[in-house]
Amino acid sequence: MQSARTISSPVKSDGGIRTTEAVRPFVHVLADSSDKLAGVCSALERHFTVAGERLDAEARLSQVPFAVVVRAELRDVGNIAAIKKRAGKLAKATKRIFLVEHSSHVGISQAYALGATLVLPGAINKSKLLAALADPAELTSGASSDAPQPDNAVEAAATAIASMFTAVTLGEPLDVDGTKEAGRRIADRITEHGLSEWLATVRRHHEGTYQHCLLVTGVAIDFGLSLGVGRTDLERLYSAAMFHDIGKAQIPLAILDKPGRLDTDERAMIEKHPAAGYEFLKDHEKISPEILDAVRHHHEYLDGSGYPDALCGESINDIVRILTISDIFAALIEHRHYKPTMPRTEAYNILCGMTGKLEKALVTSFKEVALTR
């Protein structure tokens, strides 16, 4: 690291901060508030030429920086859109470091989906940030273990889901191949290590809707494996599971993450997500009719009491029946911060009590998956 030198005083304009000294590497800082922007700039300005701008200001990056440092709340759709607006030039930077203050793996996965080369979770740490900008090898082992590696099956899947939800929210192209590949990696992981290991890992590191999608995919894969489905049907199953809740991207987080019972209006909004997901996916050439059917109908019941189309009996195909059981079971055993995790035995007993709604033979076959695998 170069020694400190005298630099010019910051000049503020358009919500930005800029310091100048041409002989040093150029680092561009993006933040969603003036306080965050000033904090990062002040940490770097003794060692780098620093330019900064708020995400809500007009994008004004005029040259390709050596590195980009982003400090912003990544569950804010406006922030994501602002970062994506600058994506073309940011992608040319050698290093793209995201500072994720809340150590939520949802935020970390979103950062990787936005192109991060490194994520530093938790409170801003000047030493780690400077080490990362100087040489990634200088980072302590603690920093690298905090941030999930994108080649890990869990994080690869979470990143795919983050990208999928962002695409829906911002009306951007969907990476279908990437999402299916993430599902394949989950299948490989479960084949090698089993369902219980997958459930424990996901519940330890993820929360909310992302946790649910990862749990459903794992349960559906293991259910398919236990039934001996062929490779093609297994691919349809894990693809349907990965995409099944994509319509929830259009539902406010306050409703999705609400602790306790939803009111009538909130429940009505939640029940729109299967049809919304179907509408978003229906014209995509890489989404098969079987996957579309599963996305739209995974809340249908054999007795006709489900939604959105009140299907019944033979109108509900096998993949949908398997996915519905997997979806219900995963929802019951999710880890939520406001309630204890339901034991798998209790969750399976609830499935057994849904007489007439779920296929009895499939629920019986699901017992081994639910209790022992």
Side-chain angles (χ1 to χ4, degrees):
M1 184 67 67
Q2 298 176 4
S3 60
R5 303 179 186 177
T6 303
I7 60 173
S8 59
S9 298
V11 178
K12 299 182 179 181
S13 65
D14 295 328
I17 298 175
R18 184 174 181 85
T19 68
T20 57
E21 186 167 309
V23 297
R24 297 178 295 181
F26 172 37
V27 177
H28 193 78
V29 180
L30 294 172
D32 56 4
S33 73
S34 296
D35 288 346
K36 291 180 182 179
L37 187 65
V40 178
C41 287
S42 64
L44 301 179
E45 61 188 13
R46 288 172 61 86
H47 306 276
F48 300 93
T49 296
V50 182
E53 64 187 66
R54 281 177 35 163
L55 287 170
D56 58 0
E58 186 68 25
R60 56 186 178 84
L61 180 59
S62 59
Q63 65 183 100
V64 176
F66 156 70
V68 176
V69 178
V70 179
R71 187 183 181 194
E73 172 54 64
L74 297 183
R75 296 191 73 174
D76 184 294
V77 173
N79 289 342
I80 293 172
I83 294 169
K84 282 181 167 284
K85 184 178 180 180
R86 298 162 167 86
K89 289 185 177 179
L90 300 189
K92 297 177 182 178
T94 302
K95 299 179 181 181
R96 298 177 295 280
I97 300 173
F98 280 61
L99 308 178
V100 180
E101 294 176 36
H102 304 291
S103 298
S104 161
H105 283 236
V106 173
I108 295 171
S109 297
Q110 182 67 75
Y112 281 123
L114 289 168
T117 57
L118 178 69
V119 179
L120 297 179
I124 184 172
N125 184 308
K126 180 178 177 180
S127 297
K128 287 183 180 180
L129 178 56
L130 291 174
L133 288 167
D135 183 352
E138 294 179 29
L139 283 170
T140 65
S141 59
S144 59
S145 63
D146 285 343
Q149 300 305 306
D151 62 349
N152 176 276
V154 179
E155 295 311 325
T159 298
I161 292 170
S163 296
M164 178 175 67
F165 273 64
T166 300
V168 176
T169 303
L170 301 180
E172 297 184 343
L174 185 67
D175 182 8
V176 173
D177 291 337
T179 303
K180 289 182 177 180
E181 171 62 15
R184 184 194 64 77
R185 293 177 68 174
I186 297 174
D188 290 345
R189 171 77 168 261
I190 289 174
T191 299
E192 183 175 356
H193 298 290
L195 178 63
S196 292
E197 187 268 351
W198 176 259
L199 298 180
T201 301
V202 170
R203 285 187 296 201
R204 186 165 61 247
H205 292 304
H206 292 276
E207 59 188 32
T209 301
Y210 289 10
Q211 178 194 143
H212 178 69
C213 290
L214 294 170
L215 291 177
V216 172
T217 303
V219 172
I221 287 169
D222 199 60
F223 195 6
L225 291 171
S226 75
L227 293 171
V229 303
R231 180 176 177 179
T232 300
D233 282 337
L234 186 66
E235 180 180 340
R236 290 193 186 106
L237 190 55
Y238 64 62
S239 298
M242 288 289 286
F243 287 117
H244 84 286
D245 268 351
I246 192 171
K248 286 184 177 178
Q250 298 179 346
I251 297 173
L253 287 173
I255 295 177
L256 287 179
D257 296 340
K258 179 181 178 180
R261 188 177 298 275
L262 300 174
D263 64 31
T264 302
D265 291 340
E266 291 167 340
R267 170 54 58 186
M269 183 170 289
I270 284 284
E271 291 185 358
K272 292 179 180 178
H273 81 269
Y278 171 84
E279 289 298 320
F280 184 80
L281 295 172
K282 68 178 183 179
D283 295 324
H284 203 295
E285 61 181 11
K286 293 185 177 181
I287 302 291
S288 70
E290 294 88 350
I291 295 174
L292 286 174
D293 185 44
V295 169
R296 185 176 180 91
H297 296 132
H298 64 277
H299 283 291
E300 302 284 5
Y301 293 136
L302 297 178
D303 62 2
S305 64
Y307 61 88
D309 298 319
L311 298 184
C312 59
E314 297 306 312
S315 298
I316 304 174
N317 72 34
D318 290 343
I319 288 180
V320 174
R321 295 178 189 215
I322 292 171
L323 183 60
T324 298
I325 291 171
S326 303
D327 183 39
I328 296 169
F329 183 75
L332 292 171
I333 65 169
E334 284 176 24
H335 172 72
R336 295 294 182 96
H337 63 85
Y338 52 82
K339 69 179 182 69
T341 301
M342 182 180 292
R344 289 166 68 171
T345 301
E346 185 177 340
Y348 180 67
N349 289 338
I350 290 176
L351 290 176
C352 293
M354 297 179 69
T355 305
K357 295 182 181 296
L358 306 174
E359 184 178 336
K360 184 176 181 179
L362 279 177
V363 172
T364 300
S365 298
F366 186 68
K367 182 175 182 179
E368 182 183 357
V369 176
L371 303 183
T372 65
R373 289 170 72 93

